[in-house]
Amino acid sequence: MSEKNSKILTERRGHLLVVTINRPEARNSMDKATALEMNAAMDLLDEDDNLYIGIVTGAQGNFSTGADLKALARGERPITEDRGGFGVFRRPPRKPLIAAVEGYALGGGLELCLSCDLIVASRAARMGLTEVRHSVCATGGGLFRLPRRIPYHIAMEVALSGEPREASFYHQHGLVNRLVEPGCALQEAMVLAERLMESAPLALAASKEIIWRSRDWNEEEAWAGQQPIALRAFESEDRREGLAAFAEKRKAVWKGR
């Protein structure tokens, strides 16, 4: 695990990378330095062939309360040139990313969840786009990603009210994948990750990319656009291993290549 004084902790657990926002004294809000470290953690996930899936969580009972308002008052914005806000908003990793949410996920904290592909949340978690209450707009992707994930009128109410809601509300409307007891979000996210990693890592990454890009494709573009992405999995060593494992009735041993 990285140094304890780091604002972002990274821990390898086999082929899984656990990324922890480590600013509990500020409810894991994000300043510039934290965003830069998050950017580096996302680069690590993308670039290391031995890492298949990432989990993002927060230290000591909160996910993230968004941007650090004290840092903003100093004129400091938690944005990186490469991946954008919080070091992930504009360009999330190409590999699957799971949010494990305890406590508050507010403002940019919810937008961080929306930058992930799956969300596991504690029943005690409270989530919301609170920016309008501070005369700010949620420009970290929340205002266009949220209505793609939940019904339009529900997303509009979340954005315009600025009201934090329990995770069960978001689970009811399909944003949260798994709802768990307090203190169990990371554990359940790891269980989910292990289940996903039974499948081939290149196929996981390619499937995510096709789903992600297909939002901007029409039907004809989708048929053509998916092919070069899917070929990365079809032409891999893991594809041959998957066929051999099926024929031999054994569990496949993936290599990520």
Side-chain angles (χ1 to χ4, degrees), residues 100-115:
V101 182
E102 301 278 356
Y104 290 114
L106 302 178
L110 179 53
E111 291 176 306
L112 179 55
C113 292
L114 293 169
S115 299

Side-chain angles (χ1 to χ4, degrees), residues 7 23 29-36 66-80 86:
K7 297 174 185 290
R23 299 190 73 217
S29 60
M30 300 283 282
D31 60 6
K32 178 73 171 186
T34 311
L36 288 169
D68 185 327
L69 298 182
K70 292 181 180 178
L72 288 176
R74 298 193 300 267
E76 180 183 316
R77 301 180 68 197
I79 297 174
T80 68
F86 288 26

Side-chain angles (χ1 to χ4, degrees), residues 111-124:
E111 291 176 306
L112 179 55
C113 292
L114 293 169
S115 299
C116 297
D117 305 294
L118 300 151
I119 302 173
V120 176
S122 158
R123 294 181 186 277

Side-chain angles (χ1 to χ4, degrees), residues 35-93:
L36 288 169
E37 291 188 30
M38 178 67 80
N39 197 123
M42 297 299 99
D43 286 348
L44 174 63
L45 177 60
D46 268 348
E47 294 167 6
D48 192 324
D49 290 341
N50 288 316
L51 293 171
Y52 301 165
I53 291 180
I55 294 175
V56 175
T57 193
Q60 297 185 31
N62 282 303
F63 186 70
S64 174
T65 53
D68 185 327
L69 298 182
K70 292 181 180 178
L72 288 176
R74 298 193 300 267
E76 180 183 316
R77 301 180 68 197
I79 297 174
T80 68
E81 290 185 9
D82 183 14
R83 294 183 182 268
F86 288 26
V88 66
F89 288 169
R90 190 176 64 227
R91 188 169 69 85

Side-chain angles (χ1 to χ4, degrees), residues 244-251:
F246 178 80
E248 297 165 12
K249 297 182 180 180
R250 60 174 174 81
K251 186 176 181 179

Side-chain angles (χ1 to χ4, degrees), residues 121-171:
S122 158
R123 294 181 186 277
R126 294 185 65 82
M127 308 163 70
L129 296 177
T130 54
E131 285 85 347
V132 292
R133 295 191 171 192
H134 307 286
S135 192
V136 177
C137 293
T139 57
L143 296 179
F144 55 84
R145 285 179 176 157
L146 189 62
R148 291 172 180 167
R149 312 284 179 87
I150 65 176
Y152 172 89
H153 292 92
I154 303 300
M156 191 65 77
E157 182 178 350
V158 168
L160 298 186
S161 72
E163 178 184 351
R165 296 174 181 270
E166 294 180 352
S168 58
F169 170 85
Y170 293 96
H171 183 257

